[in-house]
Short mmCIF file of all heavy atoms in Angstrom, two decimals:
data_model
loop_
_atom_site.label_atom_id
_atom_site.label_comp_id
_atom_site.label_asym_id
_atom_site.label_seq_id
_atom_site.Cartn_x
_atom_site.Cartn_y
_atom_site.Cartn_z
N PHE A 1154 7.39 6.63 -3.68
CA PHE A 1154 6.88 7.97 -3.97
C PHE A 1154 7.63 9.05 -3.19
O PHE A 1154 7.30 10.22 -3.31
CB PHE A 1154 5.40 8.08 -3.62
CG PHE A 1154 4.47 7.28 -4.50
CD1 PHE A 1154 3.23 6.92 -4.03
CD2 PHE A 1154 4.82 6.93 -5.79
CE1 PHE A 1154 2.35 6.21 -4.83
CE2 PHE A 1154 3.95 6.22 -6.60
CZ PHE A 1154 2.71 5.85 -6.11
N HIS A 1155 8.61 8.69 -2.37
CA HIS A 1155 9.27 9.67 -1.50
C HIS A 1155 9.81 10.87 -2.27
O HIS A 1155 9.61 12.00 -1.86
CB HIS A 1155 10.36 9.01 -0.66
CG HIS A 1155 9.83 8.02 0.31
ND1 HIS A 1155 9.02 8.39 1.37
CD2 HIS A 1155 9.97 6.68 0.39
CE1 HIS A 1155 8.69 7.30 2.05
NE2 HIS A 1155 9.25 6.26 1.48
N ASN A 1156 10.49 10.63 -3.38
CA ASN A 1156 11.02 11.74 -4.16
C ASN A 1156 9.89 12.60 -4.73
O ASN A 1156 9.97 13.82 -4.76
CB ASN A 1156 11.91 11.23 -5.29
CG ASN A 1156 12.66 12.34 -5.97
OD1 ASN A 1156 13.50 12.99 -5.36
ND2 ASN A 1156 12.33 12.59 -7.23
N ASP A 1157 8.80 11.94 -5.16
CA ASP A 1157 7.65 12.68 -5.69
C ASP A 1157 7.05 13.59 -4.63
O ASP A 1157 6.70 14.73 -4.91
CB ASP A 1157 6.58 11.72 -6.21
CG ASP A 1157 6.94 11.13 -7.57
OD1 ASP A 1157 8.11 11.23 -7.98
OD2 ASP A 1157 6.04 10.57 -8.22
N TYR A 1158 6.93 13.08 -3.40
CA TYR A 1158 6.41 13.93 -2.31
C TYR A 1158 7.29 15.16 -2.14
O TYR A 1158 6.78 16.28 -2.01
CB TYR A 1158 6.36 13.17 -0.98
CG TYR A 1158 5.42 11.99 -0.94
CD1 TYR A 1158 5.73 10.87 -0.19
CD2 TYR A 1158 4.22 11.99 -1.63
CE1 TYR A 1158 4.89 9.78 -0.13
CE2 TYR A 1158 3.37 10.90 -1.58
CZ TYR A 1158 3.70 9.80 -0.83
OH TYR A 1158 2.86 8.72 -0.78
N ASP A 1159 8.60 14.94 -2.14
CA ASP A 1159 9.54 16.06 -1.98
C ASP A 1159 9.40 17.08 -3.11
O ASP A 1159 9.52 18.28 -2.90
CB ASP A 1159 10.98 15.55 -1.89
CG ASP A 1159 11.24 14.70 -0.66
OD1 ASP A 1159 10.40 14.70 0.27
OD2 ASP A 1159 12.28 14.01 -0.63
N CYS A 1160 9.11 16.58 -4.32
CA CYS A 1160 8.91 17.47 -5.48
C CYS A 1160 7.61 18.27 -5.36
O CYS A 1160 7.53 19.41 -5.84
CB CYS A 1160 8.87 16.67 -6.78
SG CYS A 1160 10.41 15.86 -7.20
N LEU A 1161 6.60 17.69 -4.75
CA LEU A 1161 5.27 18.31 -4.67
C LEU A 1161 5.07 19.15 -3.41
O LEU A 1161 4.16 19.97 -3.36
CB LEU A 1161 4.19 17.23 -4.75
CG LEU A 1161 4.15 16.42 -6.05
CD1 LEU A 1161 3.26 15.20 -5.91
CD2 LEU A 1161 3.70 17.29 -7.20
N ASN A 1162 5.89 18.93 -2.40
CA ASN A 1162 5.68 19.58 -1.09
C ASN A 1162 5.62 21.10 -1.17
O ASN A 1162 4.77 21.72 -0.52
CB ASN A 1162 6.75 19.15 -0.09
CG ASN A 1162 6.43 17.81 0.54
OD1 ASN A 1162 5.31 17.31 0.45
ND2 ASN A 1162 7.41 17.22 1.19
N THR A 1163 6.49 21.73 -1.93
CA THR A 1163 6.52 23.19 -1.99
C THR A 1163 5.15 23.73 -2.41
O THR A 1163 4.61 24.64 -1.76
CB THR A 1163 7.61 23.69 -2.98
OG1 THR A 1163 8.87 23.23 -2.50
CG2 THR A 1163 7.61 25.20 -3.08
N GLU A 1164 4.60 23.19 -3.48
CA GLU A 1164 3.31 23.67 -3.98
C GLU A 1164 2.16 23.35 -3.02
O GLU A 1164 1.28 24.19 -2.80
CB GLU A 1164 3.03 23.08 -5.36
CG GLU A 1164 1.76 23.61 -6.00
CD GLU A 1164 1.76 25.13 -6.20
OE1 GLU A 1164 2.81 25.72 -6.50
OE2 GLU A 1164 0.67 25.74 -6.05
N ILE A 1165 2.17 22.18 -2.43
CA ILE A 1165 1.09 21.79 -1.49
C ILE A 1165 1.15 22.67 -0.24
O ILE A 1165 0.12 23.15 0.24
CB ILE A 1165 1.19 20.29 -1.13
CG1 ILE A 1165 0.91 19.45 -2.38
CG2 ILE A 1165 0.21 19.94 -0.01
CD1 ILE A 1165 1.25 17.98 -2.23
N LYS A 1182 10.55 17.32 3.16
CA LYS A 1182 11.57 17.97 2.34
C LYS A 1182 10.95 18.61 1.11
O LYS A 1182 9.89 18.21 0.65
CB LYS A 1182 12.61 16.94 1.91
CG LYS A 1182 13.37 16.34 3.06
CD LYS A 1182 14.34 15.30 2.55
CE LYS A 1182 14.99 14.61 3.72
NZ LYS A 1182 15.13 13.19 3.52
N LYS A 1183 11.68 19.59 0.58
CA LYS A 1183 11.24 20.28 -0.64
C LYS A 1183 12.40 20.27 -1.62
O LYS A 1183 13.50 20.72 -1.28
CB LYS A 1183 10.83 21.72 -0.34
CG LYS A 1183 9.66 21.83 0.62
CD LYS A 1183 9.29 23.27 0.85
CE LYS A 1183 9.83 23.69 2.19
NZ LYS A 1183 9.50 25.04 2.57
N ILE A 1184 12.15 19.73 -2.80
CA ILE A 1184 13.17 19.77 -3.85
C ILE A 1184 12.53 20.29 -5.13
O ILE A 1184 11.35 20.11 -5.37
CB ILE A 1184 13.84 18.40 -4.09
CG1 ILE A 1184 12.82 17.33 -4.51
CG2 ILE A 1184 14.63 17.95 -2.89
CD1 ILE A 1184 13.45 16.02 -4.93
N GLU A 1185 13.35 20.95 -5.92
CA GLU A 1185 12.89 21.48 -7.20
C GLU A 1185 13.18 20.43 -8.27
O GLU A 1185 14.31 20.33 -8.74
CB GLU A 1185 13.60 22.80 -7.52
CG GLU A 1185 13.32 23.92 -6.54
CD GLU A 1185 11.84 24.29 -6.46
OE1 GLU A 1185 11.18 24.32 -7.52
OE2 GLU A 1185 11.36 24.53 -5.34
N ASP A 1186 12.19 19.64 -8.59
CA ASP A 1186 12.33 18.60 -9.60
C ASP A 1186 10.93 18.18 -10.02
O ASP A 1186 9.94 18.55 -9.37
CB ASP A 1186 13.11 17.41 -9.02
CG ASP A 1186 13.72 16.52 -10.09
OD1 ASP A 1186 13.57 16.83 -11.29
OD2 ASP A 1186 14.36 15.52 -9.72
N LYS A 1187 10.84 17.41 -11.06
CA LYS A 1187 9.54 16.91 -11.53
C LYS A 1187 9.30 15.53 -10.91
O LYS A 1187 10.21 14.69 -10.91
CB LYS A 1187 9.55 16.79 -13.05
CG LYS A 1187 9.67 18.11 -13.76
CD LYS A 1187 8.52 18.27 -14.72
CE LYS A 1187 8.62 19.55 -15.50
NZ LYS A 1187 8.11 20.69 -14.86
N PRO A 1188 8.09 15.30 -10.40
CA PRO A 1188 7.79 13.97 -9.87
C PRO A 1188 7.73 12.93 -10.99
O PRO A 1188 7.39 13.25 -12.12
CB PRO A 1188 6.42 14.14 -9.21
CG PRO A 1188 5.84 15.38 -9.80
CD PRO A 1188 6.97 16.23 -10.27
N LYS A 1189 8.08 11.69 -10.66
CA LYS A 1189 8.06 10.61 -11.64
C LYS A 1189 6.67 10.01 -11.82
O LYS A 1189 6.31 9.63 -12.92
CB LYS A 1189 8.99 9.47 -11.20
CG LYS A 1189 10.42 9.65 -11.53
CD LYS A 1189 11.08 8.27 -11.49
CE LYS A 1189 12.28 8.24 -10.60
NZ LYS A 1189 12.88 6.95 -10.45
N LEU A 1191 3.55 10.82 -9.45
CA LEU A 1191 2.40 11.57 -8.96
C LEU A 1191 2.33 12.94 -9.64
O LEU A 1191 3.34 13.63 -9.74
CB LEU A 1191 2.51 11.76 -7.45
CG LEU A 1191 2.61 10.47 -6.62
CD1 LEU A 1191 2.85 10.80 -5.15
CD2 LEU A 1191 1.37 9.61 -6.80
N LEU A 1193 0.64 16.79 -9.63
CA LEU A 1193 0.08 17.76 -8.70
C LEU A 1193 -1.44 17.87 -8.84
O LEU A 1193 -2.15 17.88 -7.84
CB LEU A 1193 0.73 19.13 -8.89
CG LEU A 1193 0.21 20.24 -7.98
CD1 LEU A 1193 0.48 19.92 -6.51
CD2 LEU A 1193 0.82 21.58 -8.36
#
Side-chain angles (χ1 to χ4, degrees):
F1154 291 157
H1155 295 294
N1156 190 65
D1157 283 15
Y1158 296 146
D1159 295 346
C1160 294
L1161 297 168
N1162 278 346
T1163 299
E1164 185 59 36
I1165 294 168
K1182 296 178 186 139
K1183 298 181 258 183
I1184 60 173
E1185 297 300 320
D1186 201 1
K1187 295 236 182 276
K1189 276 200 234 176
L1191 302 175
L1193 179 63

